[in-house]
Amino acid sequence: MPTDAVTMDKIVSLCKRRGFVFPSSEIYGGLGSSYDYGHYGVLLKNNVKNQWWKAMLQERDDVVALDSAIIQHPRTWEASGHLAGFTDPLVDCRTCKLRFRADKLEDAQCGRKPSKHPGETPDCDLTEARDFNLMFETTVGPVKEEGSTVYLRPETAQGIFLNFKNYMQFARKKPPFGIAQIGKSFRNEITTGNFIFRTREFEQMEMEFFVPPDEAQSWHQHWLAERISWWTSLGLRPDHLRLRPHTADELSHYSSATSDVEYLFPIGWSELEGIANRGNFDLTQHATFSGQKLEYVDTATGERYVPHVIEPAAGVDRALLAFLVDAYDEDEIEGEQRTVLRLHPILAPVKVAVLPLVRKDGQPELATEVYRELRDHVQAEYDEGGAIGRRYRRQDEIGTPWAVTIDHQSLQDRTVTLRDRDSLAQVRVPIGELVDVIRGRLGELWRSPKLDG
Ligand code: GAP
């Protein structure tokens, strides 16, 4: 188990206090396992997604983008196997009226006696287990009774398979190539909890990589290495990350091999991303159900085959939680306790804070000028309220890597102090060089200071 200061409670409390994540619908008493992202949560989430797009699109020539609909033709879910097989076994307790996953009773608490598991007290009266489909249902059409039943997608992946033919025809793609998508997915999860780790509405970053069948295994290895390297390049400590191959009885119905990227959360090792070899399951199923040919044909040689698919599938919310947990730290400065998020600067919601030392003597005016210059280049924040120490603490808690302080000397020689969140080093920099200095620092290789602590 982790030895550092972080706990899930501390993360939840920091997220609420500093406006990263709020429990949803709070004024109505909240809705279990539903969360809203506040200002810094949105900025952090966007940075995570931008880094994923960068790795998938900008740094490669063989992946293209898609943004497909959330509500798709209902046959999609017959073909994909979700309608029949995307289920959890459930039991109800007739005494406490709570519902539990039959295969996770040892993780659940009895409604009447939380120190016991369901079924362990003489009062527990559990029903037989029955399958419960995790897809959210709704109807399309103005009259509910006459409309057709549709589903909110439980994964973004199927939208990619439905568009395979479009990409073959219009993007003139030839395997190996991938289609990447980020978007919301919905699952009526029974066992939620652990903050944003498992929720009913969440965001996925998925890429389906179509390959010639005999290359599937080597591409699977390629993507395992690529994805681990992406997580570590953004600062996650390597000793808190591992790849865990699924055992045969864990594999999804479509997969011939899956490895999970797992992170050592405060709740223990848990899945961040699944990297599956889906074989030709999905394209073959959609070809059968739609009557369309979903294959690659080489017009020069006449060769034809149904590509196999390698799928790296990560959760945005879980990524955010892992980055927050990995970054969370506590230390002491001049006898005062400090909470600090040691986020990779590229992920930090705000890159630089501009702080006049005092709210007089022309300092706010010069600080505003500096702030306006910086915000054209990076996400910056201006703060003139309260003691300077408290303003530093606030920026430390939201993970801002650098703070620029305008003081008396700044008005005389147009230099400012640049404070580093992690080392606390302060250097004097001419205002005219600030943008270049910050850009330079943002481009540097970064390593978590927690690795050295
Ligand atoms: N297309 C394959 C697929 O959806 P998955 O392992 O079920 O595979 C991929 O989901 C990722 O989506 C997971 O590794 C996790 O990060 C995220 N995810 C899945 N269910 C989630 C939930 N209920 N809440 C938050 N994230 C979830």
Side-chain angles (χ1 to χ4, degrees):
M1 288 302 259
T3 50
D4 52 33
V6 65
T7 63
M8 207 63 115
D9 285 346
K10 288 183 183 176
I11 294 292
V12 174
S13 143
L14 173 74
C15 280
K16 179 145 194 225
R17 189 169 71 246
R18 289 301 178 200
F20 281 88
V21 182
F22 306 111
S24 175
S25 319
E26 247 190 326
I27 60 166
Y28 288 107
L31 178 69
S33 294
S34 192
Y35 294 92
D36 297 336
Y37 284 84
H39 178 68
Y40 296 121
V42 172
L43 293 175
L44 177 57
K45 219 181 191 206
N46 283 347
N47 291 343
V48 171
K49 291 192 277 186
N50 286 341
Q51 288 305 308
W52 189 85
W53 279 127
K54 181 165 177 270
M56 287 295 168
L57 299 181
Q58 192 181 322
E59 292 170 358
R60 300 187 68 101
D61 301 320
D62 53 3
V63 179
V64 286
L66 173 73
D67 185 359
S68 73
I70 285 174
I71 297 176
Q72 290 154 3
H73 195 288
R75 295 271 282 166
T76 305
W77 311 109
E78 281 178 58
S80 69
H82 283 83
L83 205 52
F86 196 52
T87 55
D88 277 345
L90 284 195
V91 293
D92 290 300
C93 177
R94 295 186 188 94
T95 312
C96 70
K97 311 288 182 218
L98 289 184
R99 183 166 277 184
F100 307 100
R101 262 182 71 166
D103 56 340
K104 299 265 180 200
L105 289 180
E106 69 283 4
D107 299 336
Q109 293 170 309
C110 165
R112 290 264 171 96
K113 205 155 191 284
S115 60
K116 300 271 185 196
H117 301 304
E120 283 184 357
T121 81
D123 291 340
C124 293
D125 183 10
L126 302 184
T127 60
E128 287 294 305
R130 65 203 157 75
D131 283 335
F132 172 82
N133 197 294
L134 299 184
M135 285 196 294
F136 281 101
E137 242 179 72
T138 185
T139 30
V140 170
V143 184
K144 189 167 183 234
E145 291 68 30
E146 290 166 17
S148 50
T149 301
V150 290
Y151 303 91
L152 303 188
R153 65 181 176 198
E155 60 173 12
T156 60
Q158 296 303 323
I160 297 179
F161 300 125
L162 301 194
N163 279 283
F164 173 77
K165 202 170 174 188
N166 287 334
Y167 280 75
M168 294 304 286
Q169 287 172 348
F170 303 116
R172 287 181 290 130
K173 284 288 168 199
K174 175 180 187 313
F177 80 96
I179 305 177
Q181 156 153 252
I182 297 183
K184 287 248 175 161
S185 294
F186 304 83
R187 296 180 189 176
N188 199 357
E189 302 273 9
I190 302 311
T191 322
T192 51
N194 291 317
F195 194 35
I196 51 174
F197 181 82
R198 192 184 305 283
T199 50
R200 298 195 176 93
E201 173 181 342
F202 54 97
E203 218 169 349
Q204 290 186 304
M205 309 183 275
E206 297 199 290
M207 198 273 294
E208 309 300 318
F209 200 71
F210 301 92
V211 301
D214 59 352
E215 293 178 21
Q217 243 183 2
S218 61
W219 278 108
H220 193 210
Q221 293 306 313
H222 169 89
W223 282 106
L224 293 179
E226 281 289 301
R227 296 305 302 147
I228 280 284
S229 143
W230 185 80
W231 291 104
T232 50
S233 74
L234 291 175
L236 287 193
R237 289 164 294 166
D239 61 350
H240 280 57
L241 268 182
R242 72 178 185 194
L243 267 178
R244 190 185 63 79
H246 280 202
T247 54
D249 59 337
E250 274 181 282
L251 287 174
S252 310
H253 58 279
Y254 51 74
S255 169
S256 60
T258 297
S259 283
D260 284 345
V261 177
E262 293 189 332
Y263 178 76
L264 186 52
F265 287 97
I267 51 170
W269 287 102
S270 310
E271 176 186 343
L272 254 189
E273 171 165 15
I275 302 161
N277 179 349
R278 294 180 79 121
N280 61 9
F281 176 84
D282 304 274
L283 289 181
T284 308
Q285 285 290 101
H286 286 302
T288 307
F289 277 72
S290 66
Q292 304 268 331
K293 278 204 162 69
L294 299 179
E295 57 184 13
Y296 167 70
V297 184
D298 187 324
T299 43
T301 64
E303 179 198 18
R304 60 175 65 218
Y305 60 82
V306 179
H308 283 212
V309 171
I310 307 302
E311 174 200 65
V316 178
D317 314 78
R318 256 182 224 184
L320 197 107
L321 184 60
F323 287 123
L324 287 171
V325 163
D326 211 70
Y328 184 96
D329 206 1
E330 291 168 357
D331 61 6
E332 213 179 271
I333 303 176
E334 291 159 8
E336 246 191 74
Q337 169 105 354
R338 164 175 90 140
T339 299
V340 52
L341 283 185
R342 302 191 192 280
L343 286 166
H344 189 304
I346 214 82
L347 294 181
V350 175
K351 310 300 181 212
V352 57
V354 182
L355 318 169
L357 193 59
V358 292
R359 216 188 314 189
K360 57 182 185 183
D361 301 337
Q363 289 184 22
E365 290 74 12
L366 182 58
T368 305
E369 178 195 322
V370 170
Y371 163 65
R372 291 217 170 111
E373 167 69 14
L374 284 172
R375 75 174 181 188
D376 282 347
H377 304 274
V378 290
Q379 188 74 38
E381 198 167 278
Y382 175 77
D383 184 5
E384 61 174 29
I388 189 74
R390 284 189 55 184
R391 281 180 277 159
Y392 283 146
R393 293 304 160 269
R394 189 176 162 275
Q395 295 298 332
D396 290 339
E397 282 206 0
I398 62 167
T400 306
W402 302 293
V404 167
T405 311
I406 279 70
D407 56 15
H408 179 65
Q409 189 183 330
S410 310
L411 294 154
Q412 292 169 347
D413 65 3
R414 291 187 67 83
T415 66
V416 293
T417 58
L418 186 61
R419 171 190 183 265
D420 185 280
R421 173 196 72 198
D422 296 324
S423 67
L424 298 173
Q426 302 207 13
V427 289
R428 249 190 127 95
V429 178
I431 289 173
E433 292 173 20
L434 258 184
V435 169
D436 285 344
V437 170
I438 285 167
R439 275 201 179 141
R441 288 192 181 190
L442 263 176
E444 281 169 11
L445 270 182
W446 186 86
R447 167 187 157 85
S448 170
K450 285 173 80 175
L451 281 168
D452 308 317

